[in-house]
Amino acid sequence: DAGVTQSPTHLIKTRGQHVTLRCSPISGHKSVSWYQQVLGQGPQFIFQYYEKEERGRGNFPDRFSARQFPNYSSELNVNALLLGDSALYLCASSFTGGNQETQYFGPGTRLLVL
Amino acid sequence: GESVGLHLPTLSVQEGDNSIINCAYSNSASDYFIWYKQESGKGPQFIIDIRSNMDKRQGQRVTVLLNKTVKHLSLQIAATQPGDSAVYFCAEFASGYSTLTFGKGTMLLVSP
């Protein structure tokens, strides 16, 4: 069975540019969450989507946005990139995104902003 | 690959030893906890979970203990192997919330 997949695996951008990261959840999972992991720290929650609706948002600026498609895949968009946006961006999927529901992570997209 | 463990607490053990990784959480409303293993360059991998109505749960070579009185979790790995070398995170769900909050992580280094 395929797990959570993310693309691209690595990305290099310059300050001010925008980026789109993609995620496909585990088959049968309808919820996708996005996390940012800065080197040396634990992942931090950015967004959660369920059935194309935003269910939760972490403490990130409006430069970060996301959406979920009818097939439950998701995109994370970051505008006006800053050096500090360099991180591993992780996508996690779960059945409904409900409380007390295990989230399974993809391999991440490593973003480097120069 | 690059390390995800810079500036993290590190536990160094010999192959075959038992390892204990600790985690303190701050939210007394948290009622579901997960341990993840993250190898360099990869995403977190689910190891074991525990709900707040339990104080112990066992898996294959792993045991999680939960002490709600002092808000403490531990992950015990029996007969540690070099393949267990990774960063280990505890993560929690607060009651009524569906987002995970991660701890700082501990790097486990296993020497052959």
Side-chain angles (χ1 to χ4, degrees), chain A residues 100, chain B residues 21-35 48-58 63-76 90-93:
Chain A
Q100 298 205 1
Chain B
I21 300 171
N22 296 303
C23 175
Y25 64 95
S26 57
N27 189 348
S28 57
S30 292
D31 56 7
Y32 178 45
F33 304 87
I34 304 175
W35 279 99
I48 191 168
D49 59 359
I50 189 166
R51 303 186 190 279
S52 59
N53 61 350
M54 306 171 70
D55 53 20
K56 179 178 180 179
R57 190 160 191 229
Q58 289 184 289
T63 301
V64 54
L65 300 177
L66 173 62
N67 185 329
K68 295 181 288 293
T69 302
V70 294
K71 293 187 284 188
H72 183 267
L73 273 170
S74 67
L75 177 70
Q76 302 177 2
C90 64
E92 60 189 282
F93 279 104

Side-chain angles (χ1 to χ4, degrees), chain A residues 45-56:
Chain A
F45 170 72
I46 309 175
F47 285 109
Q48 185 182 63
Y49 276 77
Y50 172 65
E51 293 279 12
K52 298 182 291 179
E53 296 293 323
E54 181 183 304
R55 176 176 275 178

Side-chain angles (χ1 to χ4, degrees), chain A residues 27-42:
Chain A
S27 178
H29 286 190
K30 298 182 178 181
S31 180
V32 167
S33 298
W34 287 96
Y35 293 81
Q36 180 196 65
Q37 186 177 26
V38 175
L39 201 60
Q41 298 181 18

